[in-house]
Amino acid sequence: MPTPRMDTPELRVQQPSPTEDTTKETTDRSPATRRTLHQNILGKLRPLPLQYHWTFWYDKHSGAESASSTDYDERLYVLYEDVADIATFYRIYNNYPWEKIPQRDTVHIFRKGVRPVWEDPENVKGGCWRFRVPKRKAQAFFHEIAILCISSEFQAALEKEHDHVLGVSTSVRFNTHLISVWNKLGSNERSIKLLEETILNRLSPNLRPTDSGPNSYFYRRHNENEGFQQAVEGSKQ
């Protein structure tokens, strides 16, 4: 995978995992720190694994109306490949410079093994709910959406429909962020509606869209996007 360019924000994970041994740290500290036995125990517990593993991706905008698959591969790269528990998620999330993402660039969080592109076999028949979120609320909105996704809250809502939520994305725009929730079955109207209801019901009240018009949020199947067919055909070459 190509090395990230210097003009894009890079991930620098510096904080230790809560599962790492902290014995030396606690013995070196004075009693004045008042670290309780309860806190020490919790700090050493291994976080419960997530149902699925997840990958952070960075998608750099090309500035061109259409790009070859080769060019796209150069613009899309992995930030962190294997997020298996909530502690690892926060190590990545809390150390990423979200405020430095350039306009029209995108960060994706997708199930491990699924690329955040329309033509991926898991995505090709799917679509996504897209939310236009004001900048002042965008990071909080994406944080909640990401947690609901990786904790399988969305997945649980779609289980009976045999559908899957494959990932979430945040893309920087001029006054807003375009935040997307991707599902596998764009033909299942009931699943699409259930996903919408779950997103709106589980978001904090202050983050919910103020209206239901297309200027606020909407659903779009991938095959409705300009360039979809070209992307699919290019993936077969």
Side-chain angles (χ1 to χ4, degrees):
M1 190 70 68
T3 302
R5 297 183 178 92
M6 294 301 292
D7 60 344
T8 58
E10 295 183 42
L11 175 65
R12 298 181 184 275
V13 179
Q14 298 175 336
Q15 296 178 358
S17 168
T19 63
E20 293 177 0
D21 185 29
T22 58
T23 303
K24 185 176 186 302
E25 177 188 353
T26 55
T27 55
D28 288 348
R29 290 176 180 267
S30 68
T33 59
R34 298 182 181 178
R35 292 176 62 90
T36 66
L37 176 63
H38 179 66
Q39 289 173 322
N40 286 331
I41 292 173
L42 288 179
K44 296 184 181 195
L45 287 176
R46 183 177 180 83
L48 292 175
L50 298 169
Q51 183 178 0
Y52 300 99
H53 289 212
W54 302 86
T55 299
F56 278 72
W57 296 79
Y58 192 91
D59 186 350
K60 184 172 177 58
H61 181 62
S62 69
E65 288 299 321
S66 61
S68 66
S69 58
T70 302
D71 178 55
Y72 195 79
D73 287 340
E74 292 176 352
R75 296 188 290 109
L76 180 68
Y77 55 81
V78 170
L79 289 171
Y80 195 90
E81 187 173 11
D82 191 5
V83 175
D85 55 59
I86 196 68
T88 304
F89 169 82
Y90 275 114
R91 286 182 65 204
I92 309 310
Y93 187 91
N94 289 341
N95 282 283
Y96 192 73
W98 298 98
E99 73 284 355
K100 295 182 180 179
I101 300 175
Q103 190 169 317
R104 301 194 71 81
D105 281 12
T106 304
V107 172
H108 309 272
I109 304 173
F110 262 66
R111 283 194 196 177
K112 186 178 180 181
V114 181
R115 296 176 75 240
V117 294
W118 302 328
E119 63 270 24
D120 187 277
E122 293 295 302
N123 292 325
V124 71
K125 294 183 179 179
C128 59
W129 279 105
R130 295 180 176 179
F131 295 82
R132 292 192 176 99
V133 185
K135 281 189 179 294
R136 68 183 185 279
K137 294 183 177 181
Q139 199 55 49
F141 188 104
F142 183 65
H143 173 244
E144 290 197 7
I145 288 291
I147 291 297
L148 290 167
C149 180
I150 69 169
S151 64
S152 294
E153 291 293 320
F154 294 152
Q155 186 57 46
L158 305 188
E159 206 68 48
K160 292 183 179 179
E161 297 300 316
H162 307 289
D163 195 0
H164 292 270
V165 174
L166 300 171
V168 294
S169 309
T170 180
S171 184
V172 178
R173 296 297 194 265
F174 181 64
N175 289 320
T176 63
H177 285 205
L178 189 61
I179 295 175
S180 304
V181 181
W182 300 48
N183 74 307
K184 185 174 182 176
L185 300 180
S187 60
N188 189 329
E189 295 291 346
R190 176 171 168 75
S191 179
I192 292 168
K193 186 63 177 177
L194 281 171
L195 181 55
E196 176 193 16
E197 292 173 351
T198 304
I199 294 170
L200 297 179
N201 289 338
R202 295 306 303 274
L203 278 172
S204 295
N206 64 306
L207 296 177
R208 293 170 188 164
T210 55
D211 64 73
S212 58
N215 288 331
S216 180
Y217 70 96
F218 57 95
Y219 186 85
R220 179 174 292 171
R221 294 168 181 82
H222 301 321
N223 63 12
E224 296 172 344
N225 288 290
E226 184 179 354
F228 171 83
Q229 198 59 44
Q230 179 184 355
V232 172
E233 292 173 358
S235 69
K236 297 176 181 178
Q237 296 177 358

